[in-house]
Amino acid sequence: MLQKFIACSCLFCFSYTLRAQQNQTASLGKVQLNFSLDRDGSPNYSVDYGGKPVVLSSRLGFTLAEDSTFYRGFQVRGVERKSTDTVWQPVWGETREIRDKYVEMTVHLQEAASGKLLDIVFRIFTDGVGFRYVFPRQDGLRYFVVSDELTQFRMAGDHKTFWIPGDYDTNEYPYTTSALSAIDNAALVASSTAIAVRVAPDRYAVQTPLMMKSADGLYINIHEAALVNYPAMQLHMDAATLTLSARLVPDAVGNKAYVHAPFSTPWRTIIVSDKAADILSSKLVLNLNEPSKLATTDWIHPMKFVGIWWEMQTGKGTWSYSDYADSLSASGGLIPSGHHSANTKNVERYIDFAARNHIGGVLVEGWNVGWEDWFGNWKENVFDFVTPYPDFDIRAITAYAAGHGVKLIMHNETSGSATNYDRQMDTAFRFMTAWGYGAVKTGYVGKIIPRGEHHDGQWMVNHYIRVAEKAAQYHVMLDAHEPVRPTGLQRTYPNWMACEAARGNEYNAFADGNAPDHETILPFTRLMGGPMDYTPGIFRIRGYSSVPGRQVHTTLAKQLALYVTMYSPLQMAADLPENYEAHSDAFQFIRDVPVDWDDTKVLEAEPGDYLTIARKEKGAANWYLGAITDENARTMNVALSFLDKGRKYKAVVYKDGAGADWKQNPESYAIETLTVDSQSKLVVKLAPGGGAAVSIVAL
Ligand code: NOJ
Ligand code: CA
């Protein structure tokens, strides 16, 4: 009898333990993560913030080519927990120190029928949750193909959402603000003919970072961190259930990922707060990335740059040397068009301008042969990355730049031919080292080669990282245009300073441009993954284009504010030198504003509406403030309590002039000088589509 009782109670204990293990909770501050295993053994999770549901119970798991039900029939083998609270210093960034505090819970699962293992690691931060799948080393699952990842995010309401289409090849769409249930990208994709390559087969798919606001005031951001050796995750919206489901970008034959265990997927991230400012201040994505892999970083120098660029974007000059791809002169050379921008004299003009204004770099696009038919032909071998056009005297230019203390920035446009770039990469970087280039801007305009691959698929994700690693080997800083959107890998590769991967200022040059709310949305979406090379600083807001009505959709003062609100450690002053010289008083802000910061305070924020950010210069007592608004005028009203107590500062306020307006009167600005301290308030009127920039220099 006693034996029977002991056996029974052991059984009870065992099944109780099993059941207890099937439901797990972990929390930090207001954030709570719940894990559960359904009756059919499928893993689920949910997230709450301060008792409010953020993600309702949502599925986890996969279909694999070799196991189509790797999402059910699991048992919990064990659960591990730990917590961490550390501080680390980024090589550059928005703050000098970053706190990494989290509670980690790893759920070890085993598929009962096959014995295959899968771990799910959850990290709970005070501002959200990250989780990833880990495939441990195991005999039953070594090399395998991911057919689909089934991760879902079942939202608790029909939130206001800021989205671009989930396109396999581009992030360069304008944002739509709508209810979750109204997501439908078909019309936007069809009409976005200015975007070179569009592949968006699912009209209900959106890109991440996806920003949402709930009716009860929660701000929710979904993205991913540490995207390595895996395709990008886009999200399919099911309006009936308000469920966002992972959609991995496929490869040329329709598979999603090729995996060799042990393997960890990227982290899926959910950042949440009841304050919009907290979303922008979150370091969750960076914290989920690995520390720097670089042996040394003392060669990495954040800087501003000007470039031979806007004049081609606006049609004043060309990248190509000749107007003909195939006709040659009698001597067999290209026939010069006479409007090639990257000629020695013009480059020296930009170097002079940079040197005069303490701007560290000069980017030169269109310097190398190949631009006559560079794009649109899906041609593999376009550029060799080392052969200058005849009017670009690299020896003279290098000497001139060195003599003026200016660094040249290399331009390697691949026209999407990653295979060609891969083959030439060592040659290209050796060439940069030989000629003293400290940074490179890459580009991937066009359909990808290997043909059938996409900009955001696993193959290309690995290619961008290969480039970052190669650049690091040669001590070159990297700014990638048209790559997959960033996921915090700038922590691991701090020489990978910036990416485009969004609709930049350039769309104001060659297309209908960016709506006045565009720059109030980008920090909550694309920039959640990392810095953006937005190319701010256009001063000539109208009259630069031959297309009637084409103009930048901001005031001039707002262009200045973007140097603070749109963070990048490689930051361009994008307009022509003559347009800066015409407004040298306003240009003073661009001369002064730093690109590396000790601290950042988000003072006012509402996605799609407005943004005010103050940043403290690295290693100095000075602060710089940027405020922007959408199409509506507003009054910025902030307390300067972040200034050192008892210290006086000279504040120079660059603001919209009386009657300024992005459409009718965009170039009107006023400059005012004040003395301020930590007791002061700053109240500045922002015009419709306007902004203000303030330098606050310690006296
Ligand atoms: C698109 C890039 O975004 C732009 O900055 C560059 O000038 C062109 N491609 C040419 O490479
Ligand atoms: Ca682009």
Side-chain angles (χ1 to χ4, degrees):
M1 182 66 198
L2 186 66
Q3 262 179 349
K4 211 168 167 188
F5 175 76
I6 291 172
C8 256
S9 62
C10 279
L11 205 64
F12 171 78
C13 282
F14 181 65
S15 66
Y16 173 79
T17 313
L18 257 187
R19 247 184 297 125
Q21 286 202 327
Q22 284 168 1
N23 295 299
Q24 298 288 334
T25 292
S27 59
L28 187 61
K30 292 182 176 176
V31 179
Q32 180 168 322
L33 176 281
N34 310 297
F35 170 86
S36 65
L37 210 56
D38 270 5
R39 266 183 204 178
D40 69 350
S42 47
N44 288 269
Y45 77 102
S46 64
V47 178
D48 302 336
Y49 181 84
K52 289 184 186 173
V54 178
V55 178
L56 303 174
S57 182
S58 297
R59 118 195 282 193
L60 298 161
F62 294 89
T63 59
L64 308 178
E66 34 283 281
D67 186 340
S68 61
T69 58
F70 205 56
Y71 56 86
R72 63 171 150 85
F74 285 105
Q75 289 176 343
V76 175
R77 275 194 314 135
V79 177
E80 279 174 84
R81 290 166 186 268
K82 67 171 194 183
S83 52
T84 293
D85 188 1
T86 54
V87 171
W88 58 279
Q89 281 88 27
V91 175
W92 46 262
E94 297 173 86
T95 55
R96 191 166 52 89
E97 293 197 322
I98 294 177
R99 185 170 181 190
D100 187 13
K101 179 179 176 185
Y102 62 82
V103 168
E104 183 177 284
M105 179 174 86
T106 302
V107 181
H108 299 282
L109 298 172
Q110 180 158 35
E111 205 183 29
S114 69
K116 289 187 199 117
L117 306 174
L118 176 67
D119 294 344
I120 307 176
V121 184
F122 296 95
R123 280 192 192 167
I124 298 90
F125 300 82
T126 54
D127 59 355
V129 169
F131 62 89
R132 75 183 340 175
Y133 302 92
V134 177
F135 296 89
R137 188 187 299 278
Q138 55 192 298
D139 289 339
L141 198 59
R142 289 190 64 214
Y143 298 93
F144 59 97
V145 173
V146 174
S147 309
D148 274 310
E149 181 184 316
L150 304 182
T151 306
Q152 293 188 332
F153 307 83
R154 195 150 67 85
M155 305 315 293
D158 196 4
H159 306 326
K160 180 180 181 183
T161 306
F162 303 86
W163 58 270
I164 55 172
D167 189 304
Y168 298 167
D169 283 283
T170 183
N171 292 273
E172 299 190 2
Y173 291 98
Y175 283 92
T176 302
T177 305
S178 79
L180 266 175
S181 60
I183 287 171
D184 180 348
N185 65 41
L188 179 60
V189 172
S191 64
S192 296
T193 49
I195 301 174
V197 184
R198 287 162 293 152
V199 180
D202 176 359
R203 64 192 292 173
Y204 303 112
V206 292
Q207 183 59 280
T208 74
L210 184 69
M211 185 67 213
M212 289 165 276
K213 184 184 181 185
S214 74
D216 57 355
L218 284 188
Y219 296 86
I220 305 165
N221 186 283
I222 298 181
H223 188 36
E224 61 181 320
L227 174 58
V228 177
N229 197 14
Y230 203 74
M233 176 186 72
Q234 301 177 345
L235 298 170
H236 167 88
M237 177 67 215
D238 176 48
T241 59
L242 299 177
T243 301
L244 294 156
S245 304
R247 286 286 185 276
L248 302 181
V249 173
D251 78 345
V253 297
N255 289 326
K256 306 294 164 47
Y258 300 83
V259 175
H260 180 187
F263 179 79
S264 302
T265 68
W267 297 90
R268 279 63 189 92
T269 61
I270 302 152
I271 300 173
V272 54
S273 178
D274 47 17
K275 290 181 210 66
D278 291 350
I279 304 293
L280 299 179
S281 307
S282 176
K283 297 288 178 274
L284 186 149
V285 168
L286 272 179
N287 277 329
L288 288 170
N289 275 269
E290 297 298 318
S292 170
K293 286 195 170 174
L294 308 191
T296 61
T297 54
D298 53 349
W299 48 274
I300 297 174
H301 302 293
M303 66 172 170
K304 287 172 280 190
F305 65 101
V306 290
I308 305 225
W309 183 73
W310 188 244
E311 54 185 274
M312 289 95 92
Q313 295 287 350
T314 54
K316 214 178 146 221
T318 55
W319 282 269
S320 62
Y321 174 75
S322 174
D323 287 341
Y324 309 102
D326 299 316
S327 321
L328 299 178
S329 66
S331 58
L334 285 168
I335 303 164
S337 66
H339 42 75
H340 175 229
S341 290
N343 63 74
T344 305
K345 203 159 154 261
N346 201 26
V347 176
E348 289 179 353
R349 187 169 76 93
Y350 276 78
I351 293 172
D352 286 339
F353 179 77
R356 267 203 308 281
N357 294 292
H358 308 293
I359 289 193
V362 174
L363 164 75
V364 185
E365 298 200 5
W367 67 277
N368 59 329
V369 300
W371 289 89
E372 281 67 30
D373 64 346
W374 69 285
F375 155 71
N377 305 315
W378 219 1
K379 188 173 144 182
E380 181 157 13
N381 297 316
V382 177
F383 297 105
D384 69 6
F385 312 101
V386 293
T387 309
Y389 278 127
D391 60 346
F392 182 86
D393 183 344
I394 192 161
R395 190 171 296 280
I397 288 168
T398 306
Y400 198 81
H404 286 73
V406 169
K407 284 295 234 183
L408 289 167
I409 299 180
M410 173 52 73
H411 186 228
N412 283 175
E413 172 59 61
T414 68
S415 61
S417 180
T419 46
N420 184 40
Y421 198 41
D422 267 326
R423 284 193 292 272
Q424 320 254 6
M425 214 141 62
D426 263 305
T427 314
F429 279 100
R430 265 201 300 272
F431 183 85
M432 288 177 230
T433 308
W435 294 104
Y437 287 76
V440 61
K441 170 178 169 180
T442 56
Y444 297 87
V445 177
K447 291 202 272 186
I448 293 297
I449 302 178
R451 297 188 180 90
E453 292 295 336
H454 296 288
H455 284 75
D456 288 6
Q458 184 184 22
W459 197 94
M460 284 302 290
V461 162
N462 290 339
H463 168 84
Y464 306 124
I465 294 172
R466 273 201 298 282
V467 176
E469 286 174 342
K470 188 59 72 178
Q473 186 188 323
Y474 286 89
H475 289 189
V476 172
M477 299 179 280
L478 173 63
D479 168 15
H481 275 230
E482 297 89 31
V484 67
R485 76 280 185 274
T487 57
L489 282 170
Q490 65 272 21
R491 178 176 181 191
T492 312
Y493 302 103
N495 67 314
W496 190 356
M497 322 256 311
C499 292
E500 186 193 41
R503 191 177 180 92
N505 228 355
E506 67 187 27
Y507 275 80
N508 289 306
F510 61 74
D512 291 343
N514 303 333
D517 66 357
H518 188 62
E519 296 93 351
T520 68
I521 299 173
L522 277 171
F524 288 95
T525 51
R526 155 68 183 76
L527 276 86
M528 293 300 294
M532 175 174 179
D533 183 18
Y534 186 69
T535 65
I538 301 303
F539 273 20
R540 188 156 182 213
I541 305 285
R542 295 194 288 197
Y544 56 79
S545 169
S546 57
V547 180
R550 190 160 284 178
Q551 67 161 101
V552 176
H553 298 70
T554 73
T555 63
L556 188 152
K558 182 170 173 179
Q559 289 289 315
L560 292 179
L562 298 178
Y563 285 85
V564 181
T565 61
M566 205 79 91
Y567 178 58
S568 180
L570 288 179
Q571 190 70 285
M572 191 174 196
D575 210 338
L576 312 178
E578 54 269 38
N579 294 338
Y580 289 137
E581 272 151 7
H583 299 288
S584 61
D585 56 352
F587 186 63
Q588 186 62 42
F589 184 79
I590 298 181
R591 273 189 213 113
D592 294 340
V593 68
V595 282
D596 197 6
W597 308 98
D598 267 347
D599 201 4
T600 288
K601 307 268 183 216
V602 181
L603 303 173
E604 301 177 308
E606 184 62 28
D609 293 344
Y610 57 83
L611 192 57
T612 303
I613 298 183
R615 303 193 197 267
K616 184 168 186 277
E617 181 173 359
K618 186 94 160 238
N622 310 325
W623 288 76
Y624 292 79
L625 183 148
I628 60 170
T629 182
D630 61 3
E631 66 282 4
N632 301 309
R634 82 179 289 266
T635 301
M636 173 199 103
N637 187 339
V638 295
L640 302 183
S641 52
F642 50 82
L643 298 178
D644 287 349
K645 307 276 168 277
R647 194 165 198 165
K648 295 281 177 206
Y649 296 78
K650 177 180 155 191
V652 183
V653 183
Y654 303 78
K655 58 185 180 181
D656 294 319
D661 169 272
W662 73 268
K663 196 164 176 58
Q664 306 301 341
N665 189 16
E667 290 177 18
S668 162
Y669 62 89
I671 301 175
E672 191 188 350
T673 302
L674 313 163
T675 302
V676 297
D677 59 26
S678 63
Q679 309 286 317
S680 307
K681 283 206 156 191
L682 210 51
V683 181
V684 181
K685 282 196 174 145
L686 313 180
V694 188
S695 62
I696 308 173
V697 174
L699 291 172

